[in-house]
């Protein structure tokens, strides 16, 4: 097959996907037939695991393939529309070549992300739909301030007390008990003494990775993933392996299994099972069970970030991965309350499973105790009915804002835009037609005082250049409305479409 | 020369030192003659750099040698008593062999230290003379609590505010300005935007090392040093090179220079120039200038922990190493306020010099922003006259306690015990006669509810087994008096001496 000039600009997996799609169109590969395995693809095309996985994932996203658990990928009828969340408007327009260079792997993802964040910081921003922290007005600051005042009255020496108070490695017993009780309610058995207080979740995941992997080792992450995780992995001199995620079921267990089979240095998997960041996916319980079992089978650490489980809407209890880890202790559980309770406190906790002792040692070596005040505030607040009401209000507000933002996307964004419709949480994930550059929109929007989070922040593969994360943390008022109209028209202009819904 | 059975138990450097001391006694090496250089010693005896340095340092401590800056070590008349701080009582008794095994290098210093700390935690301790954090009563908690109340009144959303407030990488502008002003008063020019808020000092030093060195690289530290530093170095998978310290002038510049010449992977030096922990040494300004120049010459990072400069007694201003770093930016400056202002807040800051950008990136990746409340409290408190008065009171109290503890050591501890007499700070360093085991005293004392910090925590070489750090943070009352008497009598018993001053 010869390649048209435009196609030569495409990354390898896209060119291969084109070949396979053509083969399917020509009937060379028929509906129901099994695709070659990842290893077969690697051998046949002399490509890396990552490229082979991207190829399969791309064909799946395009509706050409379907994954059958534990068996493989099969050709499906591409004319049947794929079900799932990424289906607000029409299928993406694939006729445009992607921007050259957009597929390059960043030499330092940290540097790339830092530069984007820095540009965002230095600009005059009037609306930030990039960052996902709810604004102060959505929290109950009065209750918190009263609590701090009371704690300082009851424990006047709280701020001047060092380790002597805290026999427990810097962890306050009240905090440990409160976390252990919460955990039990989610089906996790953890002794209060095995609760380690952390500064938010970045520290927790960073400690977990430092404990279970050595420089040069590989860490499997969801793709796309939270950029902070890419930064942590790189800063620890580990290698990232991005595992495709389905918007319906989350991390592909099949792809992960193949990764284990081919990558002996794959030592850890980091997963956000509930309201995955940025896709918003809730992993089904059956998938959770399989994921926990698979990691146990390969002796890998499964690091669970459960900070968003708090935002799941509805009354059904949410069961963390850790609940399936009854024997081997290979699931490291991490949870932070900055986004649900008090962004200014940065309080979190973790249980390191079989690595808990080593994690405690690293924590103690690298930053000593976590501040006491934050632990006591969280311990007191979490149990209170006032906080439960406040969290329910926050969730209802976020739901309304997410729905309003989704309507604005549908109204103003280019034809062919698709988006996630998560069951809770702080953001939407948008996939615009190929040819759209979120990096360009980032610059154009910033010039207008609007900050967005371009797709390139969520992967080191360059495969989300046409995507972006849209925070739904702001109440949708006239300003947001106007900003969304502006963003939409700038995106339409990039794609040569007329502005919509003006 | 043949070795007596007891001598066979001695570590290599001690055996070599015995040979050299004998050679001096016999006149083979005469007073004023130059000792072989470190490299010559390494070649001649086929020993490591570390052993050669230990040999010279040991002969110097015993009064057989004196170091002449930039020239080398020379034989001196051992009968002239050495001047300096370690001279409270008589010279140590060297007739006893050291405990076998005590000289072994710990496989994991982290594990060794963690175990000691854990044993200390799990015991019923009524007096802790191991940890060096002043008790709450020595701080002005009322002033702090009032300040927190005022800050929460003036900024009611402080605890629920995320990054949006903090355009500056999580650093509060007020805090940055306050730190930059303080720095300027010490002769350091740092822009407010180049002030990075940290969680205490462990995080600062940990970030600095992660930024300047890669796993397998070597870090020079003072010997003895603060055990937390040994933990950080090991947790980052770096190698420690312990550089001898003189109780009068601090880190040996000569030894460090030799280390640079022989160790190409030596990338960083960590120094506490003022009130070195645990020796309490103040490095003379001339030494500081030479140290800064030497590190610049070899392109190494010089990481300065200036947290104890705040405790120097007297009114003369203290000049940090960073003040000499006018051009190359190779000094990383770190300062924490936990021990001088509020142990419960764990607030510190750093300026990373030429590595500042990388350090900021690592900090952001690994733990995101430092909490705002602590930054605001410190920024407000530091400038206040009330804090200045409170700090002066704290220093006066510590001085009185240190002197009282020194008197108790002189009264109760074995004949031959020597100790440091620092010009400020939180502790004394004791060197007991050879044959004394601080590990044994640690266990014996813990059984009586007293926690001490044994010498083995302050080095990975085992060379301080007969030493211990004694915290002077507690007001000396009848309990402390009795505990010191008990410690002294247990130490005497170990050495076969009768209890003293009972």
């Amino acid at each position: 097959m010869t390649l048209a000039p435009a196609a030569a600009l495409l990354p390898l997996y896209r060119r291969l996907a084109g070949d396979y799609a053509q083969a399917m169109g020509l009937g060379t590969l028929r509906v129901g037939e099994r695709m070659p395995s990842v290893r077969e693809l690697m051998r046949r095309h002399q490509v890396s695991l990552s490229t082979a996985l991207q190829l399969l994932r791309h064909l799946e996203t395009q509706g050409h393939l379907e994954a059958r658990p534990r068996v493989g990928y099969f050709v499906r009828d591409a004319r049947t529309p794929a079900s799932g969340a990424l289906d607000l408007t029409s299928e993406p327009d694939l006729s445009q070549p992607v921007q050259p260079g957009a597929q390059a792997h960043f030499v330092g993802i940290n540097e790339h992300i830092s530069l984007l964040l820095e540009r965002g910081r230095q600009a005059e921003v009037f609306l930030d739909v990039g960052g996902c922290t709810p604004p102060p007005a959505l929290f109950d600051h009065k209750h918190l301030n009263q609590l701090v005042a009371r704690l300082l009255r009851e424990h006047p020496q709280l701020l001047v007390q060092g380790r002597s108070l805290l026999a427990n490695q810097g962890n306050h017993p009240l905090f440990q008990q409160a976390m252990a009780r919460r955990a039990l309610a989610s089906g996790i058995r953890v002794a209060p003494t095995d609760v380690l207080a952390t500064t938010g979740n970045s520290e927790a995941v960073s400690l977990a990775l430092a404990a279970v992997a050595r420089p040069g080792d590989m860490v499997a992450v969801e793709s796309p993933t939270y950029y902070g995780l890419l930064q942590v992995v790189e800063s620890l001199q580990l290698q990232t392996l991005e595992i495709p995620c389905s918007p319906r079921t989350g991390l592909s267990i099949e792809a992960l299994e193949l990764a284990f089979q081919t990558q002996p240095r794959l030592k850890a998997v980091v997963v956000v099972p509930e309201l995955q960041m940025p896709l918003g996916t809730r992993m089904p319980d059956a998938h959770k069970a399989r994921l926990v079992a698979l990691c146990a089978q390969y002796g890998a650490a499964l690091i669970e970030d459960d900070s968003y489980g708090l935002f799941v809407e509805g009354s059904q209890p949410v069961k963390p991965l850790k609940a399936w880890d009854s024997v081997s202790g290979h699931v490291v559980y991490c949870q932070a309350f900055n986004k649900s309770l008090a962004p200014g406190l940065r309080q979190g906790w973790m249980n390191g499973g079989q690595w808990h002792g080593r994690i405690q040692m690293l924590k103690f070596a690298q930053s000593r105790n976590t501040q006491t005040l934050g632990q006591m505030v969280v311990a007191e607040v979490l149990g209170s009915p006032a906080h439960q009401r406040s969290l329910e209000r926050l969730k209802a507000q976020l739901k309304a804002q997410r729905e309003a933002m989704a309507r604005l996307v549908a109204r103003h964004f280019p034809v062919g835009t698709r988006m996630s419709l998560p069951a809770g949480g702080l953001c939407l994930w948008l996939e615009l037609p190929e040819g759209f550059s979120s990096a360009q929109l980032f610059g154009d929007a910033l010039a207008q005082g609007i900050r967005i989070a371009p797709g390139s922040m969520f992967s080191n593969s360059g495969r989300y250049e046409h995507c972006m994360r849209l925070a739904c943390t702001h109440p949708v008022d006239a300003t947001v409305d106007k900003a969304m109209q502006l963003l939409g028209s700038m995106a339409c202009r990039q794609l040569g479409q007329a502005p919509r819904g003006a």
Side-chain angles (χ1 to χ4, degrees), chain A:
Chain A
M1 280 173 245
T2 56
L3 294 168
L9 297 173
L10 289 172
L12 185 54
Y13 81 92
R14 291 288 307 280
R15 283 185 273 148
L16 291 170
D19 293 351
Y20 277 97
Q22 209 169 344
M24 290 166 195
L26 294 168
T28 319
L29 273 168
R30 286 161 205 271
V31 171
E33 232 177 300
R34 187 177 172 163
M35 266 293 278
S37 72
V38 170
R39 266 177 296 182
E40 173 61 18
L41 290 169
M42 288 166 70
R43 201 193 51 72
R44 190 188 285 182
H45 304 291
Q46 291 295 303
V47 295
S48 71
L49 174 66
S50 173
T51 300
L53 291 172
Q54 282 180 66
L55 162 61
L56 290 171
R57 170 74 185 120
H58 186 74
L59 287 168
E60 189 192 9
T61 311
Q62 299 307 315
H64 292 295
L65 294 180
E66 64 181 331
R68 292 190 199 150
R70 293 181 184 273
V71 186
Y73 284 88
F74 291 80
V75 178
R76 67 188 286 282
D77 187 348
R79 289 161 307 181
T80 324
S83 69
L86 283 173
D87 54 2
L88 189 81
T89 53
S90 65
E91 282 287 305
D93 175 7
L94 292 166
S95 63
Q96 304 262 349
V98 294
Q99 305 290 317
Q103 307 298 327
H105 290 234
F106 300 109
V107 181
I109 185 76
N110 238 334
E111 203 131 344
H112 172 71
I113 292 167
S114 297
L115 280 174
L116 286 174
L117 292 174
E118 194 53 37
R119 279 178 65 191
R121 268 185 217 108
Q122 294 193 345
E124 288 253 350
V125 171
F126 76 87
L127 180 66
D128 182 11
V129 286
C132 272
T133 300
L138 297 191
F139 295 97
D140 187 356
H141 68 264
K142 278 185 195 148
H143 180 217
L144 283 172
N145 293 351
Q146 281 162 5
L147 177 59
V148 169
R150 175 163 71 74
L151 285 172
L152 290 180
R153 263 199 318 278
E154 290 173 3
H155 310 273
Q157 296 187 327
L158 193 61
L159 300 178
V160 294
Q161 215 137 14
R163 215 167 44 204
S164 50
L165 168 81
L166 304 166
N168 237 344
Q169 288 257 25
N171 303 299
H172 198 285
L174 284 180
F175 180 73
Q176 293 187 309
Q177 278 156 25
M179 295 309 109
R181 265 199 309 274
R182 280 176 68 77
L184 194 60
S186 316
I188 305 175
R189 278 179 197 282
V190 50
T193 49
D194 289 339
V195 166
L196 180 66
T198 62
T199 304
N201 225 29
S202 306
E203 188 186 51
V205 173
S206 175
L207 285 169
L209 285 172
V212 306
R214 296 178 62 88
D217 281 347
M218 199 172 258
V219 180
V221 304
E222 296 157 313
S223 185
T225 191
Y226 171 52
Y227 53 83
L229 176 58
L230 299 173
Q231 293 182 290
V232 169
V233 172
E234 190 184 80
S235 76
L236 293 170
Q237 298 167 48
L238 304 170
Q239 308 292 318
T240 305
L241 182 68
E242 298 187 18
I243 306 289
C245 277
S246 146
R248 279 156 290 160
T249 55
L251 185 101
S252 161
I253 312 282
E254 291 70 30
L256 181 63
E257 184 159 16
L258 286 158
F260 277 130
Q261 286 162 5
T262 52
Q263 304 290 343
R265 295 206 70 175
L266 178 49
K267 298 292 168 57
V269 186
V270 186
V271 172
V272 180
E274 294 290 346
L275 301 179
Q276 196 268 356
M277 182 57 87
L279 290 176
T281 311
R282 294 196 61 191
M283 185 179 279
D285 280 0
H287 267 65
K288 290 181 190 165
R290 283 181 60 210
L291 179 58
V292 173
L294 183 65
C295 290
Q297 184 189 333
Y298 285 93
L302 177 54
I303 301 168
E304 169 176 33
D305 175 355
D306 190 31
S307 303
Y308 299 107
L310 300 159
F311 290 100
V312 170
E313 281 150 14
S315 55
Q316 271 212 306
V318 170
K319 199 169 166 188
L321 294 171
K322 182 76 183 164
W324 278 272
D325 175 26
S326 49
V327 180
S328 57
H330 66 296
V331 178
V332 177
Y333 182 84
C334 312
Q335 189 175 43
F337 304 103
N338 4 333
K339 300 209 168 167
S340 61
L341 192 153
L345 284 177
R346 304 203 42 62
Q347 190 63 55
W349 73 283
M350 71 190 298
N351 171 268
Q354 59 175 273
W355 298 277
H356 196 73
R358 180 157 168 75
I359 288 171
Q360 256 183 331
M361 202 156 80
L362 288 173
K363 160 79 177 158
F364 190 70
Q366 290 178 9
S367 73
R368 291 280 180 272
N369 310 328
T370 301
Q371 211 202 67
T372 319
L373 179 64
Q375 295 182 50
M376 293 189 76
V377 168
V378 169
E380 294 254 355
V381 167
L382 277 182
S384 74
H387 173 64
Q388 205 45 48
R389 284 194 301 271
S390 157
L391 187 60
E392 289 306 324
R393 268 200 309 276
L394 176 60
K395 277 156 65 172
Q397 176 96 17
L398 289 172
K399 185 176 198 301
Q401 289 169 193
R402 231 174 34 245
E403 286 169 355
M405 289 296 268
R407 282 193 297 273
L408 290 172
V409 170
R411 188 176 311 148
H412 300 297
F413 272 57
V415 174
T417 298
R418 307 195 301 169
M419 68 180 135
S420 62
L421 291 175
L426 307 152
C427 64
L428 296 172
W429 178 252
L430 309 190
E431 201 176 300
L432 276 82
E434 296 279 347
F436 167 74
S437 158
S438 59
Q440 192 187 320
L441 184 64
F442 175 77
D444 292 348
L446 212 53
Q448 306 287 330
I450 306 166
R451 184 164 66 180
I452 65 160
S456 64
M457 293 179 80
F458 299 88
S459 163
N460 201 3
S461 73
R463 76 185 76 157
Y464 303 108
E465 175 54 25
H466 63 301
C467 301
M468 58 183 275
R469 185 184 72 177
L470 194 66
C472 304
T473 46
H474 296 276
V476 178
D477 55 14
T479 307
V480 174
D481 195 291
K482 210 176 141 202
M484 288 294 289
Q485 190 173 334
L486 189 59
L487 286 176
S489 68
M490 289 190 287
C492 287
R493 196 174 319 129
Q494 268 196 42
L495 293 165
Q497 295 186 15
R500 304 178 57 223

